[in-house]
Amino acid sequence: MLNTNLRDTAIRILKETPRTLGRDVVNVLARYNRITGSSGLLEAVSELKNILENAGLPARVHVVENNSRKGFIETPAGWDPVSAEVMIKIGGKIVGRLDLAEHPTLLSAHSPGGEGCGRLTVCEKECSGEAVLTSLNPYDAYKVIDARLILHYDKNRFHEAVPYTGLFLQEQEVKHGKVVMNIPYRLATELMSRLLVKPDLEIEVCWKAEVRYHSKGLPILVSCGDEPSALVVSHVCHPKPGAHDNASGSAANYLAAFARNIIGDTSLRSLCHVWVPEYTGSVFLEEILGGLPEYVINLDMVGSKQSATGSVLSVVNPPLFMPSEASAALYISAKSVLDTVESFEGVAQPSVRYDVTPYSAGSDHDVFIAWGVDSGMLNEWPSRFYHTDMDSPDTISPSQVANIATITLLSAIILGDKGLKDKATAVYRAHLKSWYQTKSLVYGRELTLPEYRKIEKPAFKLASPISTRFIYKKLGREAFYKVRSLKGAYTYLTVYAPLSEVYGISDHLSKFISEEFIEWSREEIEVVSEIWEGLKTYLR
């Protein structure tokens, strides 16, 4: 057993966690276009499996079928982008030219192929034309806009970069010849400005896209110890390069497995490491693992050079009405690993920006939380190049990837020792109470932390989180866009509210608003309540 002086333990683990190995794994994964359902994802997972086996670690790959479903989550058709290019001309002069080789996010994931030329039309809500420029959600645009080419832009992504979007079509939704591409916001604003000044200006767009559909399935990579009780999960998907999201978390997960094997601590034998396509893989893990773990640590977007990404590392809590031993272990471990800068008086201070944050949906921890499993996440946000073709390996810090791996293993040690776990949980609970009191004072809000509740016999079990695709298909476009526009609505409707029903939590909307420091108007609260009433009927 390692010394339970947590700082000393962290130092010992870090010595067995080679920074260069984490860097190498990030670079390996970033070479592949790892879109969910693609051959590139299968190839990346195969290479990661070889890396695990070469390190003497167990590794097996399970494949989930395309066009399948678990709960509210659908897996997409198998899809490979082969080539794509778009050229935009005004008066014969080229004002924009992009191709897939230079910009791997050019094609929206699962877009059909096709080619043609046509005049560009700007679309704000509903329209048609040969080629249409729009900021509508790409899946919605694909469904409602009558056009051969949909050019999508996103003002919330880095303005010089090509954003990543996904249609995630099932086989029956594929309309051959209808292409969806992404262009930088900077280029989109230039085109719209020209048309605003001269509405009759003719902007010509020519495009060509070749794709292949297949049924190779979605890979899930598993490396487990004996009778796993704690699970470390990272989604390994996303387009090339996808370094911060999420080669970084995948590399930290591997590094934790590698160091665990070197350390040989018996308390870490029950640790299991998995790499999944986001959501579409994690919903099948209960069957694959033969049961549910007691704890889950989700590593999603970690280990960046914060000066490059603008990020803050967060320990993301589950909803406050759930036990949070996993989050407690993560936070105490983060302090043990990251507080290495001395103050003038020699007191340890944070070496990077990190904090705790209320529950936020949008990654694989959602699946386990929906199942009632104590789950915490390490995540960095915001991320300057998030979901763009500029999310490159040079924004990742090998030292920080090693730190995240160390935090992960130290958390597992804490969770495996009842004395340490109980003490960490009590300390963290007190810290969380103080954190909320401070935020309440700053924002002029009152919040009393609820008591933890363990439900031995829940009313029923959720099959999965509710997806926004499900909301779109069952409640329609209007509800879908309202969910997208209201900050916090996604987290509430997809996981928090459904889980509250399982736990028998009354008046959970007001609790959520308080817990998340939400500032919705009365009308917005009514909108969210109405959407939730529509979703409730589908829960069981």
Side-chain angles (χ1 to χ4, degrees), residues 106-122:
L106 176 62
L107 268 180
S108 188
H110 306 94
S111 168
E115 62 181 296
C117 290
R119 182 172 181 172
L120 185 68
T121 303
V122 176

Side-chain angles (χ1 to χ4, degrees), residues 135 151 154 272 380 487:
S135 63
L151 278 184
D154 189 341
C272 182
E380 286 183 318
K487 190 174 181 62

Side-chain angles (χ1 to χ4, degrees), residues 391-421:
D391 181 15
S392 60
D394 60 5
T395 66
I396 304 303
S397 163
S399 296
Q400 292 307 322
V401 171
N403 282 339
I404 296 300
T406 302
I407 291 169
T408 300
L409 291 181
L410 189 58
S411 297
I413 289 172
I414 292 172
L415 293 171
D417 184 300
K418 188 177 186 308
L420 276 175
K421 179 178 66 178

Side-chain angles (χ1 to χ4, degrees), residues 30 33 97-107 157-165 182-185 239-243 384-395:
N33 206 343
R97 187 170 190 168
L98 302 166
D99 65 72
L100 188 68
E102 291 292 326
H103 305 281
T105 54
L106 176 62
L107 268 180
R157 299 291 170 256
F158 190 69
H159 290 182
E160 302 297 319
V162 177
Y164 157 53
T165 62
N182 304 296
I183 63 171
Y185 181 62
K240 181 180 179 178
R384 184 169 289 117
F385 307 113
Y386 170 75
H387 277 196
T388 73
D389 59 341
M390 293 177 66
D391 181 15
S392 60
D394 60 5
T395 66

